[in-house]
């Protein structure tokens, strides 16, 4: 039984490595910059985030929609106090994979509403962005890492945008 398990694991690992080698590596990295955040008066509506992504280097960078997330932190201690992590919703006509050419930044706009962090054991974490109390927060757009390359020039690291001061009234 053990040899069968070992052979199965080895075959799976080999297939994963071979699949990863068939795609072109990104020799550049993404840079994100938040341009604006629209806070709707009706807190039941989603936040709208406009940001720009650029490829820094000589090759394109490709990122899938599922690699993005939007984080909101308490303004005083952004590293220690994650209050909200939302999965952005892209316009219906957006591609599943964005390929950004060097020196040609790409503007993107997304919306976000629901917190994907567990909130049951953390009363300070709202389930919806609109449940955040009035105040100043730090917002970042993240590109999260995938474990295996699934397409050419895919960025497999993690990075985030500049800090954006989000004011909720």
């Amino acid at each position: 039984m053990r040899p069968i398990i070992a052979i199965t694991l080895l075959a799976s690992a080999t297939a994963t490595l071979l699949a990863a080698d068939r795609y072109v590596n990104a020799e550049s990295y993404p840079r994100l910059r938040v341009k604006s955040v629209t806070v709707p008066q009706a807190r039941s509506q989603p936040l709208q985030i406009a940001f720009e992504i650029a490829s820094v280097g000589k090759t394109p960078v490709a990122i899938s929609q599922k690699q993005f997330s939007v984080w909101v932190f308490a303004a005083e201690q952004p590293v220690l106090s994650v209050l909200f992590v939302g999965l952005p919703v892209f316009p219906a006509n957006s591609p599943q994979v964005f390929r950004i050419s060097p020196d040609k930044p790409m503007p993107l706009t997304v919306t976000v509403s629901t917190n994907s962090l567990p909130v049951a054991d953390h009363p300070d974490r709202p389930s919806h962005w609109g449940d955040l109390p009035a105040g100043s927060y730090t917002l970042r757009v993240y590109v999260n890492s995938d474990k295996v390359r699934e397409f050419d020039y895919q960025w497999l690291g993690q990075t985030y945008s500049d800090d954006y001061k989000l004011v909720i009234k």
Side-chain angles (χ1 to χ4, degrees), residues 6-137:
I7 291 170
T8 303
L9 289 173
L10 181 61
S12 175
T14 302
T16 301
L17 288 174
L18 290 175
D21 286 343
R22 69 180 174 176
Y23 297 110
V24 179
N25 290 331
E27 295 178 16
S28 300
Y29 62 92
R31 183 182 64 230
L32 291 88
R33 195 171 114 218
V34 177
K35 304 290 258 174
S36 66
V37 177
T38 302
V39 179
Q41 287 189 353
R43 287 181 167 231
S44 61
Q45 297 298 309
L47 289 174
Q48 184 175 33
I49 300 126
F51 64 100
E52 181 180 87
I53 186 163
S55 174
V56 179
K58 295 182 180 186
T59 66
V61 169
I63 300 167
S64 68
Q65 285 187 21
K66 68 180 182 176
Q67 287 181 260
F68 287 95
S69 59
V70 175
W71 294 48
V72 177
F73 305 87
E76 313 82 57
Q77 298 178 309
V79 176
L80 303 174
S81 57
V82 180
L83 299 173
F84 179 94
V85 176
L87 301 178
V89 176
F90 291 84
N93 61 349
S94 297
Q96 289 299 308
V97 175
F98 300 98
R99 185 171 168 172
I100 303 93
S101 298
D103 303 322
K104 292 185 182 175
M106 179 182 290
L108 296 172
T109 300
V110 298
T111 59
V112 66
S113 295
T114 308
N115 198 347
S116 61
L117 289 175
V119 296
D121 297 330
H122 300 277
D124 59 328
R125 289 184 184 160
S127 59
H128 185 273
W129 82 264
D131 297 330
L132 287 165
S136 292
Y137 299 90

Side-chain angles (χ1 to χ4, degrees), residues 30-33 71 73 79 140-143 158-163:
R31 183 182 64 230
L32 291 88
R33 195 171 114 218
W71 294 48
F73 305 87
V79 176
R140 292 179 185 160
V141 176
Y142 275 75
V143 172
Q158 183 182 41
T159 189
Y160 55 88
S161 69
D162 57 334
D163 289 354

